[in-house]
Amino acid sequence: MTVILGHLVLHGVRFTVPALQVPVTTRQSLPQFWPSSNPVDWPAGTVVDDGMFHGFVGGKDFIASEPFVDVRPWKEAAELQTSRLVGSMIELPTICGKHVFYYPAALEMDAARGRFYAFVTACECETAYLIMTESDGAHCKSADAAERVLEEYEDLPGDEYEIQDSQGVFVCKALATR
């Protein structure tokens, strides 16, 4: 994950298989401040300019400290297939890569106007997803057991709405403007 606060770029790394975890750095030699036992100097490393930005935030600039180990982004999460419009619904592929789910296209129209929503769905693999709309589309914010994802959803501030159409009732939560 990448978070940008002004000129500060925070890059988080999580290994999907803990047994394969290795220490990593970036091509830009950015300092690691967590976990760290030493003070961190900032600014440090090479500036991430516009030309480097997409590769950097796409997780393509990692270097493993172990020889012959290549660290890459989890393709299933980082490069989802493109969503598509199907009638009045948007078809969104799931992280597992085997299933899709649908949500009302009206939520995307609202997102383009700065009104965002969250909703929970699940695929046939029994994984539940917390999805949030943003100006550039819907994004998976969490994938876990249904109970945990529902707790995250319930903790979000906002009013819950039901959208009815020929497909049935769709429940979502309007989020505060970001």
Side-chain angles (χ1 to χ4, degrees):
M1 66 134 196
T2 304
V3 177
I4 300 172
L5 301 168
H7 294 285
L8 177 64
V9 177
L10 304 172
H11 216 27
V13 178
R14 178 176 175 248
F15 287 84
T16 55
V17 178
L20 298 178
Q21 184 171 329
V22 296
V24 297
T25 187
T26 61
R27 289 194 174 110
Q28 295 81 10
S29 299
L30 300 177
Q32 177 177 326
F33 67 88
W34 185 86
S36 179
S37 57
N38 302 320
V40 175
D41 292 327
W42 187 79
T46 303
V47 172
V48 177
D49 62 18
D50 289 344
M52 295 181 197
F53 183 74
H54 288 290
F56 180 79
V57 299
K60 297 178 180 163
D61 288 353
F62 291 118
I63 300 171
S65 63
E66 301 291 326
F68 309 109
V69 173
D70 187 22
V71 178
R72 287 177 271 150
W74 182 31
K75 187 173 181 170
E76 289 79 5
E79 299 176 22
L80 288 177
Q81 295 176 8
T82 303
S83 300
R84 66 186 188 106
L85 183 63
V86 177
S88 65
M89 305 295 276
I90 302 285
E91 180 184 78
L92 183 65
T94 58
I95 291 174
C96 71
K98 300 174 188 169
H99 304 105
V100 297
F101 61 86
Y102 298 86
Y103 65 96
L107 298 184
E108 284 302 316
M109 289 183 257
D110 276 359
R113 295 180 187 103
R115 292 187 301 266
F116 305 107
Y117 298 88
F119 58 92
V120 174
T121 189
C123 73
E124 296 167 28
C125 295
E126 298 185 20
T127 299
Y129 303 98
L130 174 62
I131 308 296
M132 291 184 189
T133 59
E134 297 180 12
S135 57
D136 65 343
H139 297 268
C140 180
K141 299 297 182 177
S142 182
D144 207 332
E147 300 79 31
R148 293 189 65 175
V149 173
L150 284 170
E151 285 175 13
E152 290 179 59
Y153 173 79
E154 292 298 327
D155 288 344
L156 292 171
D159 295 324
E160 202 165 67
Y161 292 94
E162 290 184 355
I163 300 172
Q164 289 187 314
D165 68 5
S166 61
Q167 305 296 316
V169 177
F170 184 86
V171 178
C172 60
K173 190 178 280 192
L175 301 173
T177 304
R178 296 179 243 167

